[in-house]
C-alpha cells in the first residue's frame, strides 16, 4: 500500500490527487504505457501550475537540498507519489516532494529526491516524474547527485559539472514501449547529452567549476576497487547510482540537460571503506556551500529560457 503524505498540502488550493484504490491501478507496472501515464501526470502538474508554468525542472540529489532555501518562494508543494503513476523513494535521506518555486527569474519546478533503480524499480519508473515534468512545460533540466570521485585532486565537498556520462547500468528508460511519436522517436542522439549552452551558463555563475565524466552504476552496492579501476580507465571521473537514465529520458523528451555532482567521497579503493551514512553526512555539510551555487545556476538557466 502506498502511503500519501498529507502534511505537504499547499496552503491554498488542494493538490489534485487520486483516491487510493484508483491510484494503485495507475502506478506504473510492466503492462502500463509509461508515456501515456507520464502524459496524464503532466496534465495533473499543469493543473497545479494554474498558469505559473516553470521553464526549468531541477532534481535535487543528496546534498543539494539547501538550494531550495535560496531559489525563491515556494508556491506549491506536494508529495511526489501523489502524481499519477509515481512512487515514493525508500532511501533514507531522499525525501520525495515536488515544489513549484516563484523566483526573481520565473517559476522553477523542483523535485526533492528521486527514485533509483536499486530500489527495485524499472527504468520507466525511475524517469516517470522527469517525463511528467518535461511534458508539463520545462525544457531545461538540472540533474544533481552525490558521487564518488576517481580523481585524487577532487575530493569530498567539490561540485563538478557533468560533461558526459557512461551508462553502466545496462538499462535504458527507452527500452520497451514504442514512444507515441512512432518510429522517429525510437532512437535518440546522445552526442550532446549534457548541454554546452547550459554548461556555459553554469560557468558564468562560477568560473572555477570543473568538468567530469559521470559513470552511472546500478547499485546499491558501492563499487569494488576493480570496478573503479575499470571506470577510471574508460574515462570516468565520477561514479554514482543515478542520473544517467534521467538524462537519456530528458534528451528523448527534447529537453536540455545540465548535470552537477557533489563529490561526497573518494571512490572505492582510494581511501577507507565506504558507508552511505558518511555520504549523507558529507553531503549535508557541503550542502551549505553548493546549495546557494545551485540556486544561482538554476535562476540563470531559467532567466535564459524565459528571455528566449
Ligand atoms: N559510488 C556510487 N555512488 C555514490 C558514491 C560512490 O562512491 N558516492 C555517492 N554516491
Amino acid at each position: 500500500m502506498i502511503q500519501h503524505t498529507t502534511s505537504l498540502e499547499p496552503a491554498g488550493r488542494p493538490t489534485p490527487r487520486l483516491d487510493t484504490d484508483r491510484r494503485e491501478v495507475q502506478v506504473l507496472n510492466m503492462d502500463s504505457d509509461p508515456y501515456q501515464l507520464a502524459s496524464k501526470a503532466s496534465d495533473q502538474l499543469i493543473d497545479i501550475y494554474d498558469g505559473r508554468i516553470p521553464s526549468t525542472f531541477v532534481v535535487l540529489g543528496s546534498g543539494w537540498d539547501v538550494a531550495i532555501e535560496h531559489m525563491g518562494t515556494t508556491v506549491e508543494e506536494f508529495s511526489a507519489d501523489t502524481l499519477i503513476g509515481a512512487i515514493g523513494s525508500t532511501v533514507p535521506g531522499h525525501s520525495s516532494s515536488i515544489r513549484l518555486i516563484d523566483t526573481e527569474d520565473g517559476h522553477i519546478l523542483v523535485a526533492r529526491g528521486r527514485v533509483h533503480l536499486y530500489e527495485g524499480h524499472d527504468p520507466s519508473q525511475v524517469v516517470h516524474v522527469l517525463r511528467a515534468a518535461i511534458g508539463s512545460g520545462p525544457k531545461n533540466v538540472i540533474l544533481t547527485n552525490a558521487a564518488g570521485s576517481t580523481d585524487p585532486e577532487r575530493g569530498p565537498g567539490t561540485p563538478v559539472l557533468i560533461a558526459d556520462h557512461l551508462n553502466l547500468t545496462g538499462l535504458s528508460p527507452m527500452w520497451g514501449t514504442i514512444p507515441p511519436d512512432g518510429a522517429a522517436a525510437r532512437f535518440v542522439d546522445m552526442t550532446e547529452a549534457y548541454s554546452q549552452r547550459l554548461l556555459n551558463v553554469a560557468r558564468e555563475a562560477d568560473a572555477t567549476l570543473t568538468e567530469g565524466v559521470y559513470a552511472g552504476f546500478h547499485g546499491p552496492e558501492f563499487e569494488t576497487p576493480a570496478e573503479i579501476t575499470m571506470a577510471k580507465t574508460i574515462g570516468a571521473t565520477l561514479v554514482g547510482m543515478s542520473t544517467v537514465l534521467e538524462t537519456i529520458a530528458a534528451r528523448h523528451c527534447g529537453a536540455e540537460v545540465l548535470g552537477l555532482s557533489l563529490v561526497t567521497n573518494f571512490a572505492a579503493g582510494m581511501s577507507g571503506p565506504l558507508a552511505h551514512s558518511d555520504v549523507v553526512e558529507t553531503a549535508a555539510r557541503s550542502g551549505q556551500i553548493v546549495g546557494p551555487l545551485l540556486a544561482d545556476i538554476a535562476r540563470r538557466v531559467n532567466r535564459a529560457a524565459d528571455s528566449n
Side-chain angles (χ1 to χ4, degrees), residues 41-62:
S42 298
D43 291 343
Q44 204 183 356
L45 284 170
I46 290 166
D47 192 15
I48 292 168
Y49 299 156
D50 203 17
R52 300 161 296 182
I53 311 284
S55 302
T56 305
F57 175 55
V58 182
V59 178
L60 297 174
S62 305

Side-chain angles (χ1 to χ4, degrees), residues 146-149 217 221-223 228 239-241 264-268 274 279:
S149 169
F217 284 82
E221 72 284 2
F222 288 111
E223 300 72 32
I228 293 303
V239 290
M241 305 176 196
T264 50
N265 55 280
F266 285 115
L274 305 181
V279 168

